[in-house]
Amino acid sequence: MSGGYSRDFLRTRLELPSPQATTILLDYTHFSVRFRVTRKLAAIVGVNINGKELVPLAREGSWHVDDRIPREQQAGPDLYKNNAFDRGHLVRRLDPVWGDAATAKKANQDTFSYTNAAPQIDDFNQGKELWVGLEDHVLGHADAHDAKLSVFTGPVFVDDDPVYRGVQIPRKFWKIAAWTNDAKLAAVGFVLDQSPMLGKVELKKAIGQRLLEGEPPPLGPFRTFQVPIGQIADLTGLSLSRLINADRLVKGQRESGMETKAIRLESADQIRL
């Protein structure tokens, strides 16, 4: 298989969620993007990861616009020039890089499409490092027979997200990893918050002033949480009922008689699988 996201990749069918707002479906090698033109960013990406066939390619690739969408409708290179924003891969670069050598090489380059990028502050503190490694940790604990994951990722779009160079900058991102145990679906959900202070009125004023001066918003330290998948559905408006029912965090907390709640992660060892 070398097309886009496959709903039949796991031992139980799992569709790529579809936002309520209009999006354009773009298929790449082993992953797909639902692109929201009104925000110039992907609304959701879905990738199939085959842990047994991953190819450890070096980090090489050139960022490019996708010619299936008009250039002016994509958050392209101008957004990321001379500021603190990274072109954050939504589908992590290594996740779709599996299969034969040609397919793996194509998948690697496909991840460098601007339709798969989102603006994230480049400060690689502990929170963001943890976020980048979530797939590795979950894959290591997923079904040992299949070693397969399907992962969905996207920004949380809010109407009052700050505008910078014509693009509204998401404050939060979410991720859901799904796998099968004995053909039964299991899933975990996470949220990355890159703006823990943005709710404060005085900081909103400071942000507005910095944006007027052409500076990126002061988005503060990264915080990573494992959250009930139902909270991601509430944040995004996505229909995630199958994934909610498969949520390992909620299952474990209920079995322990605990309150169902999010966990702030300081290390991967805290992840509930």
Side-chain angles (χ1 to χ4, degrees):
M1 184 198 73
S2 59
Y5 171 85
S6 171
R7 64 183 184 178
D8 297 313
F9 182 71
L10 303 177
R11 282 184 286 170
T12 183
R13 178 168 290 184
L14 186 59
E15 301 284 350
L16 175 65
S18 180
Q20 296 175 354
T22 300
T23 57
I24 298 172
L25 178 64
L26 302 168
D27 288 334
Y28 298 93
T29 307
H30 299 150
F31 71 97
S32 295
V33 170
R34 293 194 187 275
F35 192 81
R36 187 168 167 185
V37 170
T38 57
R39 291 293 299 253
K40 300 184 179 181
L41 297 168
I44 180 174
V45 300
V47 59
N48 303 126
I49 308 172
N50 189 331
K52 288 184 176 180
E53 298 185 21
L54 288 171
V55 178
L57 289 183
R59 184 181 176 87
E60 56 183 31
S62 56
W63 284 98
H64 58 278
V65 296
D66 189 316
D67 59 13
R68 291 174 289 183
I69 298 177
R71 186 184 183 96
E72 65 273 12
Q73 295 179 359
Q74 303 174 53
D78 291 345
L79 175 62
Y80 300 96
K81 287 180 179 177
N82 303 317
N83 56 36
F85 283 127
D86 264 348
R87 293 167 289 200
H89 280 77
L90 292 174
V91 168
R92 195 176 61 154
R93 182 185 68 86
L94 290 176
D95 286 350
V97 180
W98 53 270
D100 61 65
T103 300
K105 185 176 181 179
K106 178 67 163 57
N108 179 78
Q109 177 59 19
D110 281 356
T111 68
F112 285 91
S113 172
Y114 277 107
T115 56
N116 182 46
Q120 295 180 346
I121 291 296
D122 61 8
D123 179 16
F124 247 80
N125 60 24
Q126 184 181 23
K128 190 171 181 182
E129 289 175 350
L130 178 59
W131 175 259
V132 169
L134 286 175
E135 289 97 328
D136 286 339
H137 185 79
V138 176
L139 188 62
H141 288 76
D143 185 288
H145 177 71
D146 282 347
K148 289 182 176 181
L149 290 179
S150 288
V151 177
F152 309 114
T153 308
V156 176
F157 289 141
V158 181
D159 289 343
D160 69 348
D161 282 333
V163 178
Y164 178 69
R165 295 183 180 176
V167 178
Q168 285 185 276
I169 307 301
R171 297 172 171 92
K172 297 178 180 180
F173 297 85
W174 60 271
K175 186 188 301 289
I176 298 172
W179 67 99
T180 51
N181 279 327
D182 297 325
K184 293 182 179 179
L185 187 66
V188 285
F190 305 93
V191 168
L192 173 74
D193 182 358
Q194 66 171 354
S195 56
M197 300 294 289
L198 284 181
K200 297 200 173 183
V201 174
E202 61 270 22
L203 194 55
K204 284 187 176 180
K205 292 179 181 178
I207 290 168
Q209 182 60 40
R210 288 185 66 174
L211 292 175
L212 287 173
E213 294 172 355
E215 296 293 327
L219 291 181
F222 289 90
R223 300 189 301 177
T224 303
F225 299 84
Q226 183 173 0
V227 303
I229 293 172
Q231 289 188 14
I232 295 175
D234 292 340
L235 283 171
T236 62
L238 291 167
S239 177
L240 302 173
S241 56
R242 287 204 64 214
L243 292 162
I244 290 171
N245 292 335
D247 192 339
R248 296 297 289 267
L249 172 65
V250 172
K251 181 176 183 290
Q253 288 178 334
R254 286 177 177 169
E255 288 177 349
S256 301
M258 299 170 58
E259 177 187 358
T260 300
K261 62 180 181 179
I263 301 171
R264 182 169 178 176
L265 300 176
E266 303 294 342
S267 72
D269 294 338
Q270 295 174 273
I271 296 173
R272 308 287 178 85
L273 296 172

